[in-house]
Amino acid sequence: MDSHSHEQPRLIDRFGRHVTYVRLSVTDRCDFRCVYCMSEEMSFLPRAQLLTLEEMALLGRAFTELGVTKIRITGGEPLVRKNVIWLFQALGSLPGLKELTLTTNGSQLQRYATALRQAGVRRINVSLDSLDPDRFRAITRVGSLDKVLAGIAAAQAAGFDKIKINTVAMKNRNDDEILDLVQFVVERGMDISFIEEMPLGLITEHDRAETYMSSDEVRARIASRFELVPSNVSTGGPARYWLIPGTATKVGFISPHSHNFCDACNRVRVTTEGRLLLCLGQEHSMDLKRVLRAHPGDLERLKQAIVAAMELKPKGHDFKLNEKPILFRHMSVTGG
Ligand code: SAM
Ligand code: SF4
């Protein structure tokens, strides 16, 4: 064995894919109610069903000892979970972890940006679908644009290496702001990814097939004002990136309806309840909370369960826009 063998990924599924990236949902709760993500009235999980932060930290240790190098904290809104900074600090000190990152709606960033940066988070994603306060309120149902913009400014001041904006592109809802949003990130040296809406969870507010906008349409819109040069950057997920020459900005397009990325899929998710999901679009899972609670603190058992779960990872997802039944998990439970 060569001297680098300890760095080789050890989570390998039946199709030879190496799992090196975990998305961990730390809460299903949120201070927003985005129309594509939640219904107006949501019932959230009882707290006893959620993993504790200590259990999550142990999971992080198990995964990194199995070769995982990147953990993204998501939710729900991760920053509404009490003491979540403790978890960032615990994960941030794990040897083997190269990247600890976060997806947030930005509402609490003003308060937490500096602590996150100090815990070792170097890049963050902030979701932002509109620069118009009324429209922002309509899409999030309750959110304040001012607060999110102040959060983004605080993140810039805290010195993250990169801030990326995530925008769900929706026809007749925010598609007329695509160019403005790109301008916004270009001026601030940030990146932006446009996400196609995914059919996750039952929502009441709109018909997804009507608001659906493909990445190709979004890209054509951007190309009307900005030069786009394809980049070969790949994160092993459903995102493709383009550069805007003369700027620091990368533009990503996340097309979950495409199957092209499944072959290179390098990721798994852990739900708030400790269910290890092997594919965002399928139900294959393993209950890691059961292992954690039957054998508290037993790192080896946890690692065995994770290795065994690799056998369950399916070849690909199966999203269809118009077909029902759809998956009954909301994005806030699986971790976006
Ligand atoms: N609350 C945080 C936030 O909004 O960034 C993190 C969790 S949220 C579920 C993660 C990402 O998923 C957000 O960028 C959000 O816009 C996106 N999202 C939620 N529901 C979606 C859906 N049905 N289709 C596509 N993207 C969705
Ligand atoms: Fe909350 Fe994020 Fe879902 Fe919006 S997308 S409701 S901010 S979890």
Side-chain angles (χ1 to χ4, degrees):
M1 287 211 258
D2 67 46
S3 60
H4 296 293
S5 59
H6 64 282
E7 291 172 8
Q8 296 300 314
R10 271 157 289 174
L11 289 177
I12 302 177
D13 75 1
R14 289 176 297 147
F15 305 99
R17 294 172 299 190
H18 292 178
V19 170
T20 54
Y21 176 14
V22 174
R23 299 169 74 110
L24 177 60
S25 174
V26 298
T27 178
D28 60 330
R29 286 159 206 264
C30 186
D31 50 352
F32 289 3
R33 294 285 182 278
C34 302
V35 292
Y36 45 72
C37 179
M38 293 193 179
S39 48
E40 201 152 14
E41 300 295 327
M42 292 287 291
S43 44
F44 295 108
L45 295 165
R47 281 176 211 278
Q49 281 183 32
L50 309 186
L51 292 188
T52 64
L53 296 178
E54 289 76 10
E55 287 168 335
M56 290 178 185
L58 193 67
L59 266 180
R61 192 166 155 208
F63 276 115
T64 52
E65 290 190 8
L66 290 167
V68 164
T69 55
K70 175 172 175 180
I71 298 179
R72 176 177 299 282
I73 302 299
T74 180
E77 173 47 40
L79 299 183
V80 303
R81 172 103 193 216
K82 209 170 151 207
N83 290 333
V84 74
I85 295 297
W86 178 87
L87 179 65
F88 282 98
Q89 289 163 346
L91 296 175
S93 62
L94 285 173
L97 193 64
K98 295 195 184 122
E99 194 172 355
L100 173 61
T101 179
L102 158 74
T103 302
T104 174
N105 66 22
S107 68
Q108 315 286 322
L109 263 183
Q110 236 185 324
R111 201 164 140 209
Y112 291 124
T114 304
L116 288 166
R117 183 67 198 86
Q118 284 170 354
V121 177
R122 293 207 305 267
R123 305 156 72 91
I124 57 169
N125 291 358
V126 184
S127 301
L128 178 66
D129 297 328
S130 175
L131 293 166
D132 174 272
D134 294 333
R135 202 183 262 185
F136 184 86
R137 169 67 51 92
I139 293 174
T140 59
R141 289 204 184 93
V142 288
S144 148
L145 177 65
D146 278 352
K147 248 187 169 174
V148 172
L149 293 180
I152 292 171
Q156 286 188 289
F160 290 97
D161 293 354
K162 200 77 187 196
I163 301 170
K164 187 175 81 161
I165 299 298
N166 277 343
T167 302
V168 178
M170 290 166 284
K171 222 167 242 170
N172 300 323
R173 194 118 211 182
N174 66 354
D175 60 327
D176 57 340
E177 290 193 65
I178 288 169
L179 292 172
D180 293 345
L181 283 159
V182 174
Q183 187 68 37
F184 177 87
V185 297
V186 165
E187 283 167 9
R188 289 164 180 76
M190 306 190 302
D191 292 338
I192 188 164
S193 282
F194 291 93
I195 311 174
E196 288 177 357
E197 193 173 345
M198 284 180 267
L200 293 176
L202 279 175
I203 55 162
T204 49
E205 198 263 356
H206 68 269
D207 181 343
R208 295 191 205 265
E210 264 170 33
T211 49
Y212 176 71
M213 193 164 177
S214 75
S215 290
D216 287 347
E217 287 173 273
V218 179
R219 201 177 64 228
R221 197 75 67 87
I222 297 171
S224 71
R225 190 192 297 173
F226 298 92
E227 187 187 348
L228 290 175
V229 176
S231 139
N232 51 15
V233 173
S234 169
T235 57
R240 295 289 165 267
Y241 292 96
W242 300 66
L243 308 172
I244 302 182
T247 76
T249 294
K250 273 204 302 289
V251 184
F253 298 95
I254 303 181
S255 315
H257 297 100
S258 135
H259 282 255
N260 301 336
F261 64 89
C262 294
D263 286 348
C265 181
N266 61 355
R267 60 198 59 193
V268 294
R269 292 171 167 75
V270 180
T271 70
T272 315
E273 291 179 284
R275 207 152 60 101
L276 176 63
L277 295 175
L278 285 309
C279 171
L280 180 60
Q282 304 269 13
E283 294 292 345
H284 306 71
S285 71
M286 175 163 297
D287 186 356
L288 295 179
K289 183 172 66 185
R290 199 180 45 75
V291 180
L292 277 160
R293 302 234 162 134
H295 310 281
D298 190 337
L299 188 63
E300 286 313 312
R301 275 209 200 233
L302 193 55
K303 284 162 71 173
Q304 281 165 16
I306 294 169
V307 169
M310 290 303 117
E311 291 298 309
L312 304 173
K313 191 165 165 62
K315 197 165 186 339
H317 68 65
D318 196 21
F319 288 141
K320 293 191 186 70
L321 258 190
N322 290 312
E323 243 173 49
K324 289 177 181 154
I326 48 181
L327 285 178
F328 289 107
R329 294 193 308 251
H330 280 268
M331 192 78 155
S332 52
V333 177
T334 60

